[in-house]
Amino acid sequence: MIPTFKYHPNPIETGAFIKGDAQECNCCGKQTDIWYESPFYSREEVDCLCPECIASGLAAEKFNGEFQDSYSVDEVSDPAKLEELTRRTPGYHGWQQEYWVAHCDDYCAFIGYVGWDDLVKMGIDKQIEESYGSNINGWDIETLKQDMSNNGGIQGYLFKCLHCGEYRLHIDCD
Ligand SMILES: [Zn+2]
Ligand SMILES: [Zn+2]
C-alpha cells in the first residue's frame, strides 16, 4: 500500500512509481520495493525515493527539491495547495516542461498520458470539446483529433477536476 496522493491518485498506473527489487530510499534509508521514477527538481543527486518520503514532504525538505516546477502551474488562491502539489505529490513526465492544470481554484488530479483515441474510448471527448470549443490551449481541435496520440508527436496529459469532475487537458509536442 502506498499513501494517497490527491493530485496524482494512480501513480503506479501512470508509471510515476516503479515496482521492483527492494532498494534503499535515499531519504529515509529504509528498503523499498516501490520507488519514484518521475521528475524531482533538486540540486542533489537522488536515485531512489519511497512513496512515504514524498507524501510526508520529507524528501522535498531534505533535498530542497520540487516534484513540479512551481512556476509551471495554473494559479490557485490557496498557497498550501501549491505546496502540496510541488512538494508532496509525485510528478509526471512531459515532452516539454511539465505543466499542472487547475480548475475550480484547486489543482486537478493527474489521470494519465492520452491520445485523442483514449478520450473517445473513455467517452469523455465530447465533454472536452464542449469545455474548450475548437481550440484547446492554442491547438486546433481537428488537428488533435487526427494527430494527438499517446507516445506520438502530439501528447495529451489528462487531468480531472477534484471539485466539478470536469476533465481538463494539457498538450505538448516533442
Ligand atoms: Zn523514504
Ligand atoms: Zn472544476
Side-chain angles (χ1 to χ4, degrees):
M1 279 296 286
I2 64 166
T4 304
F5 298 98
K6 87 174 167 186
Y7 297 133
H8 197 151
N10 299 304
I12 305 236
E13 284 167 39
T14 65
F17 290 110
I18 301 278
K19 283 185 188 178
D21 293 334
Q23 49 175 301
E24 191 182 298
C25 171
N26 294 153
C27 185
C28 65
K30 289 182 195 147
Q31 293 288 313
T32 180
D33 57 4
I34 298 178
W35 62 87
Y36 185 58
E37 269 297 340
S38 278
F40 181 51
Y41 302 103
S42 162
R43 285 191 179 187
E44 298 193 49
E45 190 72 32
V46 182
D47 296 321
C48 176
L49 290 175
C50 75
E52 285 75 19
C53 285
I54 295 177
S56 66
L58 204 64
E61 192 183 327
K62 183 165 178 175
F63 300 110
N64 192 24
E66 290 185 332
F67 302 97
Q68 167 67 35
D69 173 22
S70 48
Y71 293 99
S72 302
V73 297
D74 281 339
E75 214 169 276
V76 158
S77 59
D78 181 358
K81 293 181 167 137
L82 179 64
E83 201 256 327
E84 173 164 2
L85 176 69
T86 59
R87 297 178 72 82
R88 284 182 279 132
T89 299
Y92 72 94
H93 285 288
W95 282 119
Q96 316 282 341
Q97 171 65 55
E98 296 80 21
Y99 189 88
W100 212 285
V101 172
H103 201 249
C104 295
D105 200 28
D106 196 358
Y107 292 104
C108 295
F110 177 65
I111 304 301
Y113 304 91
V114 290
W116 195 269
D117 58 332
D118 296 306
L119 304 180
V120 173
K121 265 182 241 154
M122 292 170 78
I124 60 173
D125 56 312
K126 295 282 181 295
Q127 182 254 284
I128 300 255
E129 205 168 344
E130 274 164 29
S131 309
Y132 286 94
S134 61
N135 181 308
I136 304 184
N137 305 336
W139 294 85
D140 178 67
I141 198 158
E142 297 306 324
T143 306
L144 297 176
K145 283 181 184 174
Q146 269 181 19
D147 296 332
M148 188 176 95
S149 63
N150 193 17
N151 282 318
I154 303 177
Q155 176 73 50
Y157 308 92
L158 184 65
F159 292 83
K160 187 177 188 188
C161 177
L162 293 171
H163 303 279
C164 73
E166 205 171 273
Y167 286 94
R168 309 295 294 173
L169 270 184
H170 174 62
I171 299 155
D172 72 7
C173 61
D174 62 4

